[in-house]
């Protein structure tokens, strides 16, 4: 029997996870196996491919060039195997393995509690990894199959990727519960001059999503601070005696109160996106069905 005929799907899954995680202990946890079992499978892979495959380091393992060269083909093979499951025979309860989803902390609060509740109920053996949002590396992660689904804003997703509009959202101007700014209505000029805290999850800078909108109105924002997450913004806005713009679904919040302003910023969309190769994957169809049932309005469409 040739070496390639000794391969099984479990070994390919382990190989894929080792390429992603580069740590035997983490792969063992994700697969529900012991580290010794992973080491045994790696030994078999080394024999099959006549290559060291992964070299141990103080922080884990690094792949050899042979393994790195096969990563794209490996991801495609496993995706094709997943797609062999016909929709009529698809049973979420039989799902195993790891689902990798990328999202901002905003989606973690507004989307994931409902999504994860359904996944846990219908597919109790499916493990879920939620990754930090990596704007610069997003396309590469999706191409290599390291991400199954992304929940984010449309501007971060390549135009040729299929997506589903989950809902339309808008920002609300807020200030601290004890702020000197609360309790009256302001024009945009006044708002632009107030000290502002912005949320910048993709870039560590003082540029916010509404800068262009203010500039078109003829005003420059007085941004004094940038924070990386929406979850930290209310505390910082309250502590700094500043104002900020938060998505409406994160309100009410005990640390901030809305401010009435003469004109509100334009609304924005929240979407789910995935790589084109997953378009007909039953697992993805199931996930999108959950999202559609719970979030998609009449305006939500798949593209």
């Amino acid at each position: 029997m040739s070496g390639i005929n000794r391969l099984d799907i479990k070994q390919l899954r382990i190989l894929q996870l080792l390429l992603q995680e580069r740590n035997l202990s983490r792969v063992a946890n994700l697969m529900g196996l012991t580290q010794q079992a992973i080491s045994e499978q790696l030994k078999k892979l080394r024999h099959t491919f006549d290559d060291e495959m992964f070299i141990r380091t103080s922080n884990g393992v690094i792949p050899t060039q042979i393994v790195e060269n096969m990563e794209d083909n490996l991801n495609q093979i496993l995706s094709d195997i997943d797609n062999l499951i016909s929709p009529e025979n698809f049973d979420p309860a039989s799902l195993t393995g790891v689902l990798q989803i990328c999202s901002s902390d905003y989606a973690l609060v507004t989307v994931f509690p409902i999504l994860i509740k359904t996944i846990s109920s219908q597919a109790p053996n499916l493990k879920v990894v939620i990754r930090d949002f990596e704007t610069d590396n997003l396309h590469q992660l999706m191409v290599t199959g390291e991400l199954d689904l992304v929940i984010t804003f449309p501007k971060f997703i390549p135009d040729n990727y299929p997506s589903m509009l989950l809902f339309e959202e808008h920002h609300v101007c807020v200030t601290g519960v004890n702020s000197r700014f609360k309790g009256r209505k302001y024009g945009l000029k006044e708002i632009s001059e107030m000290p502002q805290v912005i949320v910048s999850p993709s870039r560590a800078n003082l540029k916010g999503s509404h800068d262009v909108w203010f500039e078109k109105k003829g005003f420059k924002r007085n941004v004094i601070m940038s924070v990386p997450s929406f979850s930290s913004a209310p505390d910082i806005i309250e502590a700094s005696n500043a104002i900020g713009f938060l998505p409406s679904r994160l309100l009410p919040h005990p640390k901030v109160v809305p401010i009435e302003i003469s004109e509100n910023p334009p609304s924005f969309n929240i979407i789910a996106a995935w790589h084109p190769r997953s378009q007909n994957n039953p697992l993805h169809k199931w996930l999108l069905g959950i999202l559609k049932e719970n979030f998609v309005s009449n305006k939500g469409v798949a593209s």
Side-chain angles (χ1 to χ4, degrees):
M1 181 182 292
S2 65
I4 198 69
N5 288 332
R6 290 197 294 269
L7 279 173
D8 60 36
I9 295 176
K10 180 171 33 174
Q11 289 175 337
L12 295 180
R13 296 286 187 197
I14 290 172
L15 183 55
Q16 182 185 50
L17 284 173
L18 282 171
L19 278 162
Q20 294 172 7
E21 300 294 331
R22 308 199 176 196
N23 184 286
L24 268 66
S25 178
R26 285 202 295 268
V27 171
N29 289 334
L30 290 171
M31 292 288 293
L33 300 171
T34 64
Q35 187 169 335
Q36 182 180 357
I38 298 297
S39 296
E40 286 298 317
Q41 293 298 330
L42 180 55
K43 183 178 179 180
K44 292 178 181 179
L45 287 166
R46 285 169 171 157
H47 181 68
T48 298
F49 289 98
D50 191 24
D51 184 73
E52 186 67 16
M53 305 296 283
F54 292 90
I55 300 170
R56 292 182 182 273
T57 71
S58 59
N59 296 321
V61 294
I62 56 174
T64 63
Q65 191 62 52
I66 287 178
V67 180
E68 285 194 333
N69 290 343
M70 69 172 68
E71 184 169 13
D72 287 350
N73 287 336
L74 173 65
N75 290 328
Q76 187 60 58
I77 288 169
L78 289 172
S79 177
D80 290 341
I81 291 173
D82 289 338
N83 288 337
L84 288 175
I85 305 172
S86 60
E88 58 268 22
N89 295 326
F90 179 74
D91 179 15
S94 67
L95 288 174
T96 58
V98 181
L99 179 66
Q100 302 235 23
I101 305 177
C102 177
S103 121
S104 67
D105 68 322
Y106 168 76
L108 282 176
V109 174
T110 58
V111 176
F112 275 93
I114 293 175
L115 178 62
I116 298 304
K117 182 178 181 180
T118 305
I119 290 175
S120 300
S121 172
Q122 297 185 17
N125 297 315
L126 183 64
K127 301 180 188 300
V128 180
V129 174
I130 301 176
R131 301 178 60 141
D132 288 338
F133 197 79
E134 302 178 41
T135 306
D136 295 334
N137 203 30
L138 187 62
H139 176 64
Q140 180 67 21
L141 292 172
M142 296 180 81
V143 166
T144 59
E146 294 179 62
L147 286 178
D148 297 295
L149 191 69
V150 180
I151 300 179
T152 183
F153 311 113
K155 68 177 182 178
F156 295 126
I157 301 299
D159 292 338
N160 63 327
Y161 279 29
S163 65
M164 173 184 287
L165 171 61
L166 299 183
F167 53 85
E168 188 178 87
E169 173 66 294
H170 66 277
H171 281 103
V172 176
C173 188
V174 300
T175 192
V177 290
N178 297 313
S179 170
R180 66 186 188 277
F181 298 127
K182 71 175 186 177
R184 52 163 289 211
K185 183 176 181 179
Y186 295 94
L188 288 187
K189 184 178 187 302
E190 292 174 292
I191 288 292
S192 67
E193 294 170 348
M194 294 176 184
Q196 298 186 37
V197 174
I198 64 168
V199 178
S200 183
S202 59
R203 292 284 189 276
N205 56 33
L206 295 173
K207 296 180 180 179
S209 58
H210 296 317
D211 290 351
V212 174
W213 180 71
F214 271 97
E215 289 171 3
K216 287 182 178 179
K217 300 293 182 180
F219 309 117
K220 181 176 176 59
R221 301 170 75 186
N222 178 23
V223 176
I224 63 165
M225 191 178 304
S226 170
V227 296
S229 67
F230 286 103
S231 58
S232 62
D235 291 275
I236 300 299
I237 291 171
E238 196 269 341
S240 61
N241 201 21
I243 67 168
F245 289 87
L246 295 180
S248 66
R249 294 190 181 214
L250 298 183
L251 301 172
H253 189 283
K255 291 294 183 71
V256 295
V257 292
I259 298 177
E260 187 178 1
I261 59 178
S262 59
E263 184 178 355
N264 291 310
S267 60
F268 58 97
N269 294 330
I270 303 298
I271 65 169
W274 55 96
H275 193 275
R277 68 165 170 269
S278 301
Q279 183 74 359
N280 296 314
N281 188 318
L283 170 61
H284 277 263
K285 289 184 176 181
W286 171 66
L287 287 173
L288 295 176
I290 297 172
L291 291 171
K292 185 175 183 179
E293 180 180 356
N294 288 282
F295 295 101
V296 178
S297 65
N298 292 332
K299 295 180 181 179
V301 294
S303 59

